[in-house]
Amino acid sequence: MKGPERVATLLLAMGKPAAGRILKHFSEDEIRLVTRSAAQLGPVSPIQIETLIDEFASNFTSGADVIGSVAHIEKLLSGILSPEQIADILSDVAGNANRSIWERISTVSESAIASYLLKEHPQTAALILSKVKPSCAAKVMAQLPQPLRNNLMRRMLSMKPIVDETMKNIEKTLHEDFMANFSKNAGADTHAKMADIINKMEREHMEDVLSSLSTVRPKSAEILRGLLFTFDDIVKLAPRDRTTLFDQVPPDRVVLALKGTNDEFRKVVLTALSSRVRRMIEHELSSKEPSANRDIAEARRSITDLALDMAGRGEIVINSETDDESFV
């Protein structure tokens, strides 16, 4: 029997439950091929089935060939797909091998990539941005501080070709350093999702989670800290971004959020407001009218959530790693 017939025979011998679980991993074309083979199979003797199963089991008990090479893949596909289909697939694999790491990085959230690039040398960051998909690079650029963004653009424009050996080393480092530590899959960034959840927590809960995580997964904790943005971090925003943010915040919410903060923190926030709004808020704060802690926390959380949303749309840049300190 040929490849498709052998597959069809084994699946029919397994029965529906087991065969169904395996077929979920087949492509539509493969299912069609096996279905046609099963329909044309005719009667298969018990001896043939037993021989096929024994051969199948023997391959695994004795150690089947699992060396990752084009030759072994070609041997595996032989008899299951046509020579033309095999040639097309192998050509695609060979042609895209070097690009796979860049395609995988392009699927990670832009905030996670930006956080990673901020820790790298600008020339390395420029190289990475020149290799990922343009749509990804554009979103990442929007997350970076303006001086760095302009610097990277200049470097990308003057970048010279990289020798193959150097590029291979860079790709290997990225695979180990970036993809392995940020997430184990190409479709989603676990750290970005976790950061979004932690950002919604109360401050004491946030610190407790990160402290606990630091003891078992210090690298993940470090990455998450780079992705987090709290009300305290508002003072780290560039003045223009801070103004852009507070242009969208109602004055009564600013009053609530600033209650309980020190004078230096208030001064930083108030300088982002127009003169009229600043005078009004200063007057409200001077009255020292008490407010519930829950209302204050909710006002701060709403401003933080707004900042994260605006950063996601590229309207402001957060976590630019300035040397400013928190004042609350």
Side-chain angles (χ1 to χ4, degrees):
M1 289 188 287
K2 297 180 180 179
E5 295 169 341
R6 293 157 66 88
V7 172
T9 301
L10 284 172
L11 290 172
L12 290 171
M14 289 178 187
K16 183 176 180 180
R21 289 194 296 270
I22 293 175
L23 283 170
K24 289 180 181 179
H25 300 281
F26 282 31
S27 70
E28 187 175 340
D29 288 340
E30 289 168 341
I31 292 174
R32 285 199 186 97
L33 184 61
V34 172
T35 301
R36 283 196 298 268
S37 297
Q40 300 168 4
L41 191 60
V44 180
S45 69
I47 295 177
Q48 286 177 297
I49 296 175
E50 186 176 348
T51 301
L52 184 58
I53 292 174
D54 286 344
E55 182 183 340
F56 182 80
S58 176
N59 284 335
F60 283 91
T61 56
S62 63
D65 257 329
V66 290
I67 301 174
S69 69
V70 173
H72 283 91
I73 292 297
E74 186 174 7
K75 181 180 178 181
L76 179 67
L77 295 177
S78 180
I80 298 178
L81 300 177
S82 69
E84 292 78 13
Q85 289 175 306
I86 294 173
D88 183 56
I89 290 172
L90 295 181
S91 174
D92 182 62
V93 169
N96 287 285
N98 291 332
R99 296 199 301 271
S100 61
I101 181 64
W102 306 112
E103 292 173 354
R104 292 175 64 198
I105 290 176
S106 297
T107 65
V108 178
S109 72
E110 56 270 19
S111 60
I113 299 175
S115 178
Y116 181 85
L117 295 185
L118 285 168
K119 299 178 177 68
E120 293 298 315
H121 187 280
Q123 192 65 20
T124 303
L127 173 63
I128 293 173
L129 287 174
S130 70
K131 291 293 184 180
V132 298
K133 293 180 180 179
S135 58
C136 172
K139 292 177 182 178
V140 173
M141 283 286 197
Q143 299 278 329
L144 300 174
Q146 186 178 13
L148 177 58
R149 184 165 61 238
N150 294 338
N151 182 5
L152 294 182
M153 288 296 291
R154 290 192 295 269
R155 289 175 180 270
M156 290 167 69
L157 285 170
S158 59
M159 188 170 292
K160 297 178 180 179
I162 308 296
V163 297
D164 289 345
E165 191 61 32
T166 302
M167 183 59 73
K168 287 179 181 178
N169 290 334
I170 292 172
E171 290 173 350
K172 180 181 178 182
T173 301
L174 283 172
H175 177 77
E176 295 173 353
D177 247 10
F178 191 94
M179 297 307 299
N181 289 331
F182 272 77
S183 64
K184 297 291 184 179
N185 60 80
D189 178 36
T190 305
H191 291 85
K193 289 182 178 179
M194 287 302 301
D196 190 40
I197 294 172
I198 296 174
N199 267 319
K200 301 292 192 296
M201 292 180 175
E202 299 295 338
R203 184 57 185 259
E204 60 270 22
H205 297 162
M206 178 187 297
E207 290 299 332
D208 181 62
V209 167
L210 291 173
S211 176
S212 175
L213 188 61
S214 295
T215 62
V216 291
R217 297 186 63 178
K219 185 63 177 179
S220 288
E222 179 186 346
I223 293 170
L224 283 171
R225 288 186 185 278
L227 297 175
L228 296 179
F229 182 82
T230 67
F231 186 70
D232 297 10
D233 295 322
I234 284 174
V235 296
K236 298 180 182 179
L237 294 175
R240 179 182 298 179
D241 288 339
R242 200 156 43 236
T243 298
T244 302
L245 170 63
F246 280 98
D247 280 347
Q248 307 295 322
V249 182
D252 59 335
R253 191 172 300 163
V254 178
V255 172
L256 267 176
L258 288 180
K259 288 189 175 183
T261 59
N262 60 40
D263 292 340
E264 193 171 1
F265 185 92
R266 289 185 184 184
K267 181 180 178 181
V268 173
V269 172
L270 291 173
T271 55
L273 308 174
S274 66
S275 299
R276 182 182 63 81
V277 175
R278 182 167 62 249
R279 286 195 299 270
M280 182 177 67
I281 290 176
E282 286 174 335
H283 175 73
E284 291 290 334
L285 289 173
S286 65
S287 69
K288 300 187 183 301
E289 183 178 342
S291 298
N293 289 335
R294 183 176 62 181
D295 294 336
I296 294 174
E298 181 58 35
R300 292 179 180 180
R301 187 188 304 278
S302 67
I303 294 173
T304 301
D305 288 345
L306 175 61
L308 290 167
D309 290 341
M310 294 176 72
R313 297 192 296 268
E315 297 173 10
I316 64 173
V317 176
I318 63 175
N319 292 332
S320 57
E321 297 200 349
T322 63
D323 294 328
D324 296 334
E325 297 179 352
S326 296
F327 298 101
V328 175

